[in-house]
Amino acid sequence: MTGIAVLAATYILSQFYRTFLAVLTPALAADVGATKADLSVASGAWFIAFALMQFIVGVCLDRFGPKRTVSFLLAVFGAGGALVFAFATVPWMIILAMVMIGIGCSPVLMASFFIFAKKFPPARFAVLASWIVAIGMIGNVMGSSPMANAAEMFGWRGVMLVLGLATLAAAFALYFSIRDPEHEQNQDDGDAGFSGYLKLASMRPLWWILPMMLVNYVTAAGIRGLWAGPYVADVYGADALQIGTVTFYMALAMVAGSFVYGPLDTMFGTRKWIIVGGNAICVAVCAWLAFNPQTSINQVTIAFIIIGLSGSSFAVMMAHGRAFFPSHLTGRGVTLMNFFGIGGVGLMQVVTGRIVTASTDVAAPEAAYGNLFGFYALIVSGALLIYLFSQDRKPEKA
């Protein structure tokens, strides 16, 4: 259990790294010359690098186990990327640093899910996965007002330098604390390596689940990790500390949402309809923001809190897909799901950056963000319609 505890603590860092850019928007613009488009690309690059690495991570988990996979990638790329960020002088260095950090963080959560799938009863997967996500969301909280305050007091470069050293220490702690599950010897040779992904892709039940997985995390992660800062700054004139406060409350809501979603599948005997209900609420709030992009900062904060709560069904989505995986493809199965979940965020960070940039009107900045929220409502609605055809897989009794 020590390894699980260290993985949970390390996942706090992973969550921090995907969300902290929002509160550094003014500082990076002043010190490095980074525009909103640059930061959109940098944020998207983290998610895209993270997503693409899932295929390699999945094979490594099944073949080498979580211990070597997570400790090596986190030490070399996670810590290295944080140090590159700390010494960045131009926008492309910020983008490079985020790519490296994305690679370094890519195996952390999946190593946890792999251990849960191998060592615990299937009925416990959703709640364990939700709870480790919720614990990791502390990093989401730390990336809001605490990061803003730390950057104000010590400078963002000093904070990133300390974070790089902390990431390196976490990698060493993981190497000495994780105990790999027993390796399965009866694997089908036809599913070796990357060919296992082809078998997963041929499984019809996943066809209706993966589109929802693609956009399930997009809204909460996109707003919290990137757009909350520019939105409240442009429309409401918020400074870094006010941005930190808004994102802090949304981050807390995402923590609470992850805890709440965890036991619901066993409580109600369904995974599908929990996901449908939660994401329908998220769509409704995004649609309201699309038609009311300029109200008050208090109403916006409440809307973001609801999105944070309702948009945190990631672990239940993972449990729904996990129910269809063959045992020997567990590592590749969870990373395939994660590829869609995180890859969708990365792709949409870039797409939404173009949407906001193309529709920005200096005289009426709220119009661009109305288009942004409308886009979120549209893509999640479309995925929900596809997901309605999915096969529900009720959780087994523990």
Side-chain angles (χ1 to χ4, degrees):
M1 294 301 291
T2 303
I4 294 293
V6 179
L7 277 167
T10 305
Y11 189 54
I12 293 173
L13 278 172
S14 178
Q15 282 287 343
F16 171 87
Y17 281 132
R18 72 184 65 182
T19 59
F20 75 101
L21 274 182
V23 300
L24 293 185
T25 299
L28 293 176
D31 296 348
V32 184
T35 64
K36 284 185 290 185
D38 291 327
L39 296 180
S40 173
V41 171
S43 179
W46 189 98
F47 286 99
I48 292 171
F50 186 107
L52 292 175
M53 278 298 296
Q54 295 306 301
F55 295 107
I56 297 173
V57 168
V59 173
C60 290
L61 288 174
D62 283 327
R63 182 171 297 177
F64 305 117
K67 177 177 180 175
R68 285 178 288 176
T69 301
V70 69
S71 58
F72 173 78
L73 290 175
L74 189 66
V76 175
F77 294 96
L83 296 178
V84 170
F85 197 109
F87 294 101
T89 56
V90 289
W92 70 260
M93 293 182 70
I94 297 292
I95 297 170
L96 173 63
M98 294 301 288
V99 169
M100 293 178 65
I101 295 171
I103 293 172
C105 293
S106 62
V108 177
L109 183 61
M110 293 303 98
S112 306
F113 285 3
F114 182 85
I115 294 171
F116 293 156
K118 294 290 188 180
K119 291 190 172 183
F120 293 88
R124 309 312 305 163
F125 185 88
V127 68
L128 289 169
S130 293
W131 286 357
I132 201 166
V133 169
I135 292 169
M137 289 291 181
I138 295 172
N140 199 336
V141 176
M142 291 169 58
S144 57
S145 57
M147 178 60 178
N149 289 323
E152 285 279 325
M153 292 176 62
F154 306 109
W156 62 270
R157 294 185 187 276
V159 174
M160 291 304 299
L161 182 60
V162 170
L163 285 166
L165 297 175
T167 304
L168 185 61
F172 280 101
L174 288 168
Y175 184 81
F176 290 106
S177 64
I178 292 177
R179 296 181 64 183
D180 289 332
E182 291 185 12
H183 184 71
E184 294 185 19
Q185 299 297 330
N186 61 337
Q187 293 189 9
D188 183 353
D189 291 338
D191 297 335
F194 292 102
S195 62
Y197 288 109
L198 297 178
K199 180 169 183 176
L200 290 166
S202 69
M203 297 175 62
R204 288 181 177 270
L206 295 181
W207 295 358
W208 305 104
I209 296 173
L210 291 177
M212 189 66 223
M213 193 69 192
L214 184 69
V215 301
N216 170 254
Y217 188 46
V218 161
T219 304
I223 292 174
R224 167 62 193 89
L226 178 62
W227 292 115
Y231 172 49
V232 297
D234 291 347
V235 177
Y236 301 100
D239 59 20
L241 295 180
Q242 289 174 309
I243 292 170
T245 300
V246 172
T247 54
F248 176 78
Y249 286 120
M250 185 175 185
L252 287 179
M254 293 171 73
V255 174
S258 295
F259 274 115
V260 169
Y261 267 109
L264 292 182
D265 64 336
T266 52
M267 187 181 299
F268 293 104
T270 178
R271 289 172 178 143
K272 174 179 176 177
W273 296 109
I274 290 169
I275 292 163
V276 169
N279 283 276
I281 294 171
C282 188
V283 167
V285 177
C286 286
W288 181 82
L289 284 170
F291 288 105
N292 302 275
Q294 188 174 28
T295 56
S296 72
I297 196 165
N298 289 333
Q299 289 180 319
V300 166
T301 302
I302 293 170
F304 285 176
I305 289 171
I306 297 172
I307 290 172
L309 286 167
S310 61
S312 298
S313 58
F314 177 87
V316 182
M317 282 292 310
M318 188 70 73
H320 193 184
R322 156 76 183 89
F324 298 99
F325 303 152
S327 178
H328 67 282
L329 294 178
T330 299
R332 279 159 284 187
V334 294
T335 52
L336 177 67
M337 292 284 288
N338 205 33
F339 167 76
F340 277 84
I342 300 300
V345 176
L347 175 63
M348 295 307 166
Q349 298 290 65
V350 176
V351 171
T352 54
R354 293 180 181 274
I355 290 172
V356 171
T357 300
S359 56
T360 293
D361 180 352
V362 177
E366 69 278 1
Y369 295 102
N371 292 338
L372 171 71
F373 297 124
F375 176 74
Y376 283 139
L378 183 64
I379 60 172
V380 178
S381 296
L384 269 176
L385 290 176
I386 298 171
Y387 184 70
L388 288 174
F389 293 94
S390 68
Q391 175 186 344
D392 199 2
R393 182 59 65 93
K394 297 181 179 181
E396 305 85 348
K397 291 185 178 181

